[in-house]
Amino acid sequence: MSSLGKGIASASIGTLLQARGYSVRMKKLDPYINVDPGTMSPYKHGEVFVMEDGCEADLDFGHYERFTGVQCTADDSLTTGKVYEKVLLQERRGDYLGSDVQVIPHITNEIKNFIMAGHERVDFTICEIGGTVGDIEGLPYIEAIRQLKISLGSAGAACVHLTYLPYMKTSEELKTKPTQHSVKLLQSMGVQPDIILCRCEKEVSDEIKAKLSMFCNVKKENVVEALDAESIYLIPRRYHLAGLDRQVCVHFGLETPELEERAEVKICEKWGAVEHAIRMPSKAVKIAVVGKYTKLKDAYISLSQAICHGGIAHDARVEIDWVDAGMDQRDIENRLRAASGVLVPGGFDISGAEGKIAAIKFAREKKIPFFGICFGLQLAVIESCRNVGGATSATSREFSDNGEMVIDFMDKWELNGTIEARNPSGAKGGTMRLGSYLCKISVGTLAHKIYAATETTERHRHRFEVNIKKYKELFAKADLHFSGMSADGLLPEIVERRDHPFFIATQAHPEFKSHPFAPHPLFSSFIKAAIDHSAR
Ligand code: GLN
């Protein structure tokens, strides 16, 4: 079921196999009918992760990239919508002339092709299947892996089933029935799991493992405990100690005692420092994140991870205070007073925008370190135009058609030498400025100091831009400095204020490129500024 941690489990298998010297590629099959999650609500589905190539994908891809360091591409993310879109286009083109198009074999063939595409370049392809066993939408995927397991043989594929062992407080025991039934359901579809990963909040006894082994037709060593952990970065080693990667390797005939010993050393080398920083930080700092989706933490998962990485960089535990931008301005300010840094993340539409603008004003005036991301940059520009530049009607086209449109709809921009064009009433799916774009950084600015470079690339996901063509003078009056510009010099990418110890905002989403092993410089310098601020 969802929230069980299939994404983290897949990412953990990936990183553990890497530590054993293997190359991996991470993929995901999502059973929903949307072509991508780009138009879904972050409230229901969590964050939309943006890949380097601009693919809008499930948040699990963030875990894959953070755990393995391997960049995913549009070819790694499949949804039912995407499969059907492809098959139907092929049908219209006449590729299936003479035959009726069916789930088996046409849809299942596409799914198998997707899983195997690019596999020749790596040792392991790890492919997660979203959803729950038995879901109607998931049936073609289960059927596809059944077929694939036959063609690849046991030495070519392993099936890991993640299940839940609920703990009954009254009888103080872990229950195995849901796992038994879920496995039975899988078996009825022709798929026998090779390894069962049991998510649980209490240790799984030998007795329970033996019981699951017997009822589920799986070797006892292949019933692996997946205990809850206080941080996701403690999970890879925990799963390793429970024997997950060892059993995967045993399945493929890749295991010897010497290799096992070396794996132990390598995994400690890889994850030890991160674990130490998470477990025993020497400092603590509090950051207020002022946003709209503060009740569902998954809506900002890459953001909260990048903030945590910033803490790892400075040996600090970062407590995030999720401030609901819809609250009364006074209440927002009271919360910000207790924080050492204010972050306004990405967001959409007018609701909550005024609360975020008030938060930016407070951080600017009280000289609290401020970091704006995407929507956060746009609102920071509006705030400075209104309250420093005197343009009280400064606004964004996203909110209204009246006022000074300092943030406006972008109808044309350049992407790798070609012009991308949009119109305001055009389709909404996959049409934002998406993916990696070059940013040129001016020497001597805060951005230059942070990146220690004059060029960088960051991932984008937005429709609106700073209207520098029309409002150059107003921006100068508002004391806004555009320290990063797009490659063609036309679009502001980074803005900062010089009358403040740390006030910076970026039009891109740097959180997608931060890793526990390589914290993003913007996040690590923001956390550093917050630590310095709290020491004052
Ligand atoms: N809503 C803004 C835009 O579309 C910002 C988007 C974002 O923060 N990702 O331009």
Side-chain angles (χ1 to χ4, degrees), residues 346-348 373-375 378 398 432 461-464 509:
F348 290 84
I373 294 179
C374 201
F375 202 42
Q378 299 175 356
E398 193 170 3
M432 284 188 256
R461 182 174 186 256
H462 56 104
R463 226 176 275 288
F464 300 88
H509 287 275

Side-chain angles (χ1 to χ4, degrees), residues 123 256 316 529:
D123 297 318
T256 64

Side-chain angles (χ1 to χ4, degrees), residues 236-250:
R237 223 170 92 76
R238 184 163 289 187
Y239 286 7
H240 165 69
L241 293 174
L244 179 59
D245 49 313
R246 183 188 63 230
Q247 292 315 116
V248 169
C249 289
V250 167

Side-chain angles (χ1 to χ4, degrees), residues 34-42 45 48 56 427-432 461 463:
N34 302 56
V35 172
D36 61 46
T39 57
M40 291 186 201
S41 162
H45 193 74
V48 174
E56 293 173 283
K428 291 280 185 285
T431 56
M432 284 188 256
R461 182 174 186 256
R463 226 176 275 288

Side-chain angles (χ1 to χ4, degrees), residues 133-134 139 142-143 146 184-191:
V133 170
L139 295 178
I142 307 278
E143 168 59 16
R146 184 192 70 76
K184 276 211 173 71
L185 200 54
L186 256 186
Q187 287 166 338
S188 75
M189 293 184 257
V191 174

